[in-house]
Amino acid sequence: MPSTARIALNRPLRRLFDYLVPEGMALESGQRVKIPFGRQQAIGLIVETDIEPPEGIILKPVLNALENWPALPSETFQLLSWASDYYQHPLGECLFTALPPALRRGRPAIQKTEDRWQACGSSAVLPAKAHKQKALLEWIAQHEQGVINNEIIKAGFTRPQLKSLLEKELVRVAAPKSASPQSQQYNESIAAPTLSPAQLVAASQLPPPDEGFSASLLYGITGSGKTEIYLHYLKQNLTAEDQALVLVPEINLTPQTVARFKRYFGERITVWHSALNDTERLNAWLKIRNGEPIILIGTRSAVLLPFTALRTLIVDEEHDSSYKQGEGFRYSGRDVAVYRAHLNRCPIILGSATPSLESYHNALAGKYRLIKLEERAGEALPPSISLLDIRSRPLEGGLSRPVLQALQKTLESGNQALVFVNRRGFAPVMMCFDCGHMVECPRCDTRLTYHRRDRAMRCHHCDFQTAATETCPKCKSDAFKPVGQGTEQTEDVLANSFPTTPIVRVDRDSTQRKGSIQTILEQVNTGEPCILVGTQMLAKGHDFPNVTLVVVINADGGLFSVDFRAPEQLIQTLLQVSGRAGRGTKIGKVIVQTCHSDHPLLRTLCNGHYLEMADQLLEERETGQFPPFRAMAIFRAEADTMEQSLQILDSIKPLANKPGIEVWGPLPALIARRADRHRAQLVLNTDNRRRLNKLLTNVCQTLEQQRFQKGAKWMIDVDPQETG
């Protein structure tokens, strides 16, 4: 009797498909296969083999296996199956998330090498006006091992310039390097970093991999040297055959982290993030799957990759909301990492200066080991934090006179300053002071942000853009002015106030080009006096030794939000950005501008003791019966009209209204219309996570069978980071 296999496809379908396995074809779970699917062919992943075929149905056969080994080994397969069940997402899409795009499309799992170019002629033969070609040839000549196309582009040269040199036979493809033995390739002669007494105490509390699974929450104040502890731990505990994973929240943190790790581990360091091209991702994936003893530094999705010798996981800045996927497969990279460590029976270290309340609660409950590091590394001291009440004070671009004076004093001392503005663009609103008109997005329930550099009005939610005008579009008045502050406006005010000082803006607009953040960091790390102006991108993990003053333009945004997580996120952001000050030998100072200087949360902030604030916030969460004291999930719906969205959620409510489950809503989302889609939500809250998971499974299976109006859709968000 022919064998039958159950196969998952990369489709948003909560079902699997059965196929016949041709005689002589050996298949196992996690293996990639090509199958007929309707009138097309598709790539599938084997979920089960030797199953009982359904009666009365003629099955199509598997066309062929793409490899004779599983792309997803058993531990990775088990992890993704758990994540599919926990986050209530179709198994096929979860499994395919662990494959690089090239393999999802059916490309062979073979490492693709890029040609390396070497100089083989003199620039003297080039025409006198061929300055760029001469510069490229001389630059290539400086690299004896040769350079690849990507490195040439990053250096500011172009493919046509390289082609011209090739046509003139001034460059050639370098001979491939002979593969060095693994022991030589991963030579680690550099000793572990020397730790301070406080760091040694913290490091001694981290259990070694030999003890099996453990979860440690490393609470280290900003500048305490958590990265040195990570490096020291890996140096002391990884063998030459082991793999390790270091998660960072954002791509922009990767270059700085990679540079520090490469100093100690050299070529053993590999990176994984969304900015890699298909070939780079495939090559990194193959290293991981083949069991090479790499240390992978990556963003959220790296936790899903098919490691085969994983011995340690580290989640840096574990509190960061970037670890939660916001659409599609809505998993938490941090929480999946903890479960992965449990499956692998290996340690995981969660590090942060401002731990999430969930992780801190787990530490207080004894699930995690709490390790405190409350001294800054070296001679650095924590910065002093002061509140500056700006009520009734005249502001210039959001900056008060005392702040401008403090910036002047900092620059005169030869130091650097950082100004934190959590809005990009020039101003969040353009308003007519005659008729009151404000320019709104035609596709969203939000206003357009004014970007003066590009003379554009942009929506930061749907990317709608239109040209900016100097007169009111409604009444044609000249009293059409920007209201509020953005990074561009603050940059302009500072440039006018300090004309001889470099003003360096760091936000999503200024760092769009590949490598731009690295260029900015290099400029700042020269130590020359300058003022950094930026959004949350500056608050995370960067080390600026010469920054002695941090200014927060407006700290009041999260004090009165409808989202129960807002106070936690506000305090985390303020302490993280404050931690950029005084990281070297010079004393740091932080000035927080606010209209609510008497607010108890901000007053506690001045003490700089995060755990005291975390205790206070946990008490409030427990009183309000919010996570982490209860489990939460949100059904979200979107459609062409709000009526359709609410109808979907109204059909879910009776299914969810069970004993022990609190149901809130349905209600429109905080931004009810986004990109011409009307959004609503239904919140489920309970003190029994198993009961919630079982209920969600039943509801999702029921919804999968229902047909809704065209364009209407629903999604489920388990452990949501945003409740608005």
Side-chain angles (χ1 to χ4, degrees), residues 32-238:
R32 282 198 312 156
V33 291
K34 186 176 284 188
I35 54 172
F37 191 70
R39 297 180 180 179
Q40 301 175 324
Q41 293 182 355
I43 305 301
L45 283 165
I46 301 292
V47 174
E48 292 179 81
T49 56
D50 300 323
I51 62 165
E52 196 69 37
E55 293 183 11
I57 297 177
I58 300 174
L59 298 179
K60 295 180 180 180
V62 173
L63 297 177
N64 61 285
L66 297 180
E67 295 88 27
N68 58 7
W69 44 269
L72 302 182
S74 60
E75 182 269 326
T76 306
F77 192 89
Q78 189 178 347
L79 174 79
L80 291 161
S81 299
W82 169 83
S84 169
D85 177 65
Y86 184 88
Y87 293 105
Q88 300 296 329
H89 197 76
L91 178 62
E93 288 193 328
C94 294
L95 295 176
F96 274 83
T97 308
L99 299 181
L103 295 191
R104 292 176 209 168
R105 296 193 298 267
R107 246 179 70 176
I110 300 170
Q111 188 160 1
K112 185 179 178 183
T113 56
E114 294 190 65
D115 289 336
R116 303 188 73 85
W117 302 98
Q118 282 182 326
C120 60
S122 169
S123 60
V125 303
L126 289 168
K129 292 183 178 180
H131 302 297
K132 282 288 187 182
Q133 290 180 38
K134 284 185 178 182
L136 173 56
L137 185 61
E138 289 165 4
W139 181 78
I140 293 174
Q142 294 170 12
H143 299 78
E144 293 182 8
Q145 302 297 324
V147 291
I148 61 175
N149 287 349
N150 269 2
E151 293 168 336
I152 291 171
I153 302 300
K154 282 181 185 176
F157 300 104
T158 64
R159 295 178 192 274
Q161 290 162 3
L162 175 66
K163 187 179 179 183
S164 296
L165 294 179
L166 183 62
E167 289 170 351
K168 296 179 177 69
E169 298 184 352
L170 296 175
V171 294
R172 67 185 175 202
V173 176
K177 290 192 291 185
S178 57
S180 53
Q182 226 175 57
S183 58
Q184 187 179 344
Q185 184 181 359
Y186 295 114
N187 179 28
E188 297 173 5
S189 57
I190 299 176
T194 304
L195 301 184
S196 69
Q199 288 173 324
L200 281 170
V201 170
S204 68
Q205 297 176 61
L206 292 169
D210 294 342
E211 293 186 11
F213 169 69
S214 65
S216 302
L217 178 60
L218 177 60
Y219 162 64
I221 64 170
T222 53
S224 58
K226 293 183 289 296
T227 303
E228 279 72 26
I229 290 180
Y230 303 153
L231 290 163
H232 185 272
Y233 184 86
L234 294 175
K235 274 282 182 183
Q236 297 295 320
N237 291 289
L238 280 195

Side-chain angles (χ1 to χ4, degrees), residues 28 42 170 209 346 350 381 457 509 619 635:
E28 58 182 304
L170 296 175
C346 71
L350 307 169
L381 296 172
M457 302 291 294
D509 298 320
E619 284 181 23
F635 278 99

Side-chain angles (χ1 to χ4, degrees), residues 469-537:
T469 61
E470 295 182 2
T471 59
C472 173
K474 189 174 181 181
C475 72
K476 308 304 178 187
S477 167
D478 292 334
F480 191 52
K481 306 295 181 186
V483 178
Q485 292 80 40
T487 48
E488 286 183 10
Q489 185 177 170
T490 305
E491 180 187 19
D492 284 358
V493 170
L494 292 170
N496 291 330
S497 302
F498 308 102
T500 60
T501 301
I503 311 297
V504 183
R505 179 164 57 93
V506 183
D507 57 23
R508 197 176 358 150
D509 298 320
S510 67
T511 56
Q512 284 182 340
R513 292 184 61 185
K514 196 172 184 179
S516 55
I517 187 70
Q518 193 63 21
T519 304
I520 289 169
L521 294 178
E522 287 170 3
Q523 178 183 350
V524 177
N525 288 332
T526 61
E528 293 297 315
C530 70
I531 301 176
L532 283 148
V533 180
T535 57
Q536 285 197 46
M537 291 175 69

Side-chain angles (χ1 to χ4, degrees), residues 541-553:
H542 298 298
D543 192 8
F544 306 124
N546 215 30
V547 169
T548 58
L549 174 66
V550 166
V551 175
V552 178
I553 289 279

